[in-house]
Amino acid sequence: MKKLTYLAFIAILLFSCKKEDELVHSLSLDKTELTVDVDQTFTLIADYQPNSKNLSYEWSSSDPSIAAVDTGGRVRGVSAGKATITVKVNELTAACEITVSPLAIKALKLNKSGSLLDIGMKDTLKALIEPVNASDKKIRWTVLNADVATVNSTGLVVAVGAGSTEVIATSGNGKAEARCRITVNEMKVTGINLQKTELSMERGASEKLLASVKPANASNPTVIWTSSEPEIARVSPKGEVRGLQNGTAVITARTEDGDFSVSCKVTVIPVAVQSVIIDKASLEMLIYSQQELKAQVFPASADNKNVRWESSNESIARVSAEGKVEAIKPGSCLIYAISEDGGKKPIAK
């Protein structure tokens, strides 16, 4: 009887050992996918079956520069991207795909809320972001009224005209912005200069007068041009003077702001003769015969077109005041047509 009982005990013991060996071991994580922000932490929980208090968990990250994990399964987002967190027990592993979202700018401030400038002055605005470790630190700069001030991509403001406007700094994601009011003082005109105070020009000619307003960055640099004798010398709104007829006129440049003025005396003179041309370069004549020459004065607008005719040897050929040549005896001589204005003379043989 004792022998039977002993055999039964051995059988039960063997059966129990076989069941333990047949147990299925498993390892899992409470999350297989997880999204965190930069610097955000989250603890993953590993579940090993069957439970045991003497297990050693090995944690690792496929890319610690994106997501780091400590020995307790605590995950921290390091930078934007994706990484895989793996836990290992014995030969079993389980993994969780971690997506680290970029850390956006949540608040934006400027180093100043307002700036008072004169025209031509510059100021640099600086953007202060929160959090300071935001992934995308890009700032977009805009200005409401570019006629008052301009701003570049680094926050450099340039005052260009009197008035008031706002410079706006906006975060890359468009969710945060800050503003600075820019006020540009009006620059009053203090004077005006003209590069010439006297000008002589031929009738029909044109010349531009240049007026410079002081200061150069005056808010209203408008200059009004007038002529005392517009029938003699006319002036355009841009200071271009044209001589219309002989005489004298005074051209005045006056500032719209401050009523400062400066003048230039313009003398319009006759158009001078530049050259004379005779219609024939040479003549062959019989004794006692006559031929008529014609002279043309250039430019055609010359005021005095009169010419004087002369012969270099009147014993060979004479020429009348009208340019009629008479052959006297064999030989050669020169016939001149001399302009009354300037003494220009071509030659005909």
Side-chain angles (χ1 to χ4, degrees):
M1 186 67 181
K2 287 182 178 180
K3 184 178 181 181
L4 181 61
T5 302
Y6 176 72
L7 290 174
F9 174 76
I10 293 174
I12 292 173
L13 182 61
L14 291 173
F15 177 78
S16 298
C17 291
K18 185 177 182 181
K19 287 295 183 181
E20 179 66 23
D21 291 339
E22 290 178 352
L23 287 176
V24 177
H25 294 258
S26 65
L27 178 63
S28 63
L29 291 172
D30 61 333
K31 292 187 179 297
T32 57
E33 292 183 357
L34 180 63
T35 299
V36 297
D37 293 330
V38 173
D39 277 347
Q40 183 182 358
T41 60
F42 188 88
T43 301
L44 294 174
I45 299 174
D47 181 26
Y48 182 85
Q49 294 295 330
N51 286 327
S52 174
K53 295 182 179 180
N54 298 319
L55 294 175
S56 176
Y57 293 89
E58 297 178 20
W59 295 89
S60 63
S61 171
S62 63
D63 192 342
S65 66
I66 293 176
V69 62
D70 63 14
T71 57
R74 188 167 176 261
V75 179
R76 180 176 66 87
V78 178
S79 63
K82 289 188 176 183
T84 302
I85 301 300
T86 303
V87 61
K88 182 178 180 182
V89 177
N90 296 328
E91 298 302 320
L92 297 177
T93 61
C96 177
E97 186 76 18
I98 304 294
T99 300
V100 182
S101 302
L103 184 58
I105 294 176
K106 297 178 180 179
L108 187 61
K109 293 181 181 179
L110 295 179
N111 59 324
K112 57 182 67 177
S113 59
S115 183
L116 180 63
L117 303 172
D118 292 332
I119 294 175
M121 288 182 60
K122 299 178 181 180
D123 196 3
T124 300
L125 298 179
K126 295 182 180 180
L128 310 174
I129 63 174
E130 295 179 7
V132 294
N133 61 337
S135 301
D136 183 7
K137 296 181 173 64
K138 185 177 180 180
I139 302 296
R140 184 174 67 254
W141 296 91
T142 55
V143 64
L144 294 181
N145 188 348
D147 291 332
V148 175
T150 61
V151 64
N152 68 6
S153 60
T154 64
L156 177 65
V157 178
V158 180
V160 296
S164 181
T165 187
E166 283 188 320
V167 171
I168 305 171
T170 307
S171 62
N173 60 9
K175 294 183 179 180
E177 74 168 33
R179 299 187 177 212
C180 176
R181 177 158 291 278
I182 305 296
T183 303
V184 181
N185 293 323
E186 183 177 6
M187 296 294 290
K188 303 297 289 184
V189 173
T190 60
I192 183 172
N193 289 329
L194 205 56
Q195 99 276 22
K196 289 183 179 181
T197 56
E198 289 191 7
L199 173 64
S200 180
M201 62 193 312
E202 288 186 347
R203 178 178 53 81
S206 296
E207 185 168 338
K208 188 172 184 179
L209 293 176
L210 299 177
S212 55
V213 173
K214 299 184 293 184
N217 61 345
S219 298
N220 182 5
T222 303
V223 174
I224 301 170
W225 295 88
T226 57
S227 171
S228 64
E229 305 291 341
E231 70 279 2
I232 293 176
R234 184 177 60 203
V235 62
S236 75
K238 293 185 177 180
E240 186 171 340
V241 180
R242 183 174 180 82
L244 300 180
Q245 66 181 42
N246 301 339
T248 302
V250 176
I251 304 298
T252 301
R254 187 180 304 276
T255 63
E256 190 174 71
D257 176 22
D259 201 31
F260 296 93
S261 64
V262 64
S263 297
C264 175
K265 180 182 177 182
V266 176
T267 302
V268 182
I269 60 176
V271 178
V273 174
Q274 300 297 322
S275 62
V276 180
I277 296 177
I278 294 178
D279 63 336
K280 291 182 176 65
S282 64
L283 289 175
E284 290 185 3
M285 301 176 64
L286 297 175
I287 297 175
Y288 306 125
S289 66
Q290 294 182 346
Q291 287 197 40
E292 186 176 359
L293 296 175
K294 292 183 179 180
Q296 187 175 2
V297 172
F298 289 93
S301 59
D303 284 62
N304 186 353
K305 296 182 177 64
N306 296 330
V307 296
R308 180 179 77 256
W309 293 92
E310 290 183 0
S311 170
S312 65
N313 191 338
E314 291 192 347
S315 66
I316 295 175
R318 293 193 296 260
V319 61
S320 70
E322 292 77 26
K324 185 175 290 187
V325 180
E326 181 182 2
I328 305 300
K329 68 176 183 179
S332 63
C333 65
L334 300 176
I335 302 298
Y336 298 103
I338 304 169
S339 66
E340 197 172 90
D341 173 20
K344 306 293 182 181
K345 60 178 182 179
I347 298 174
K349 295 180 181 179

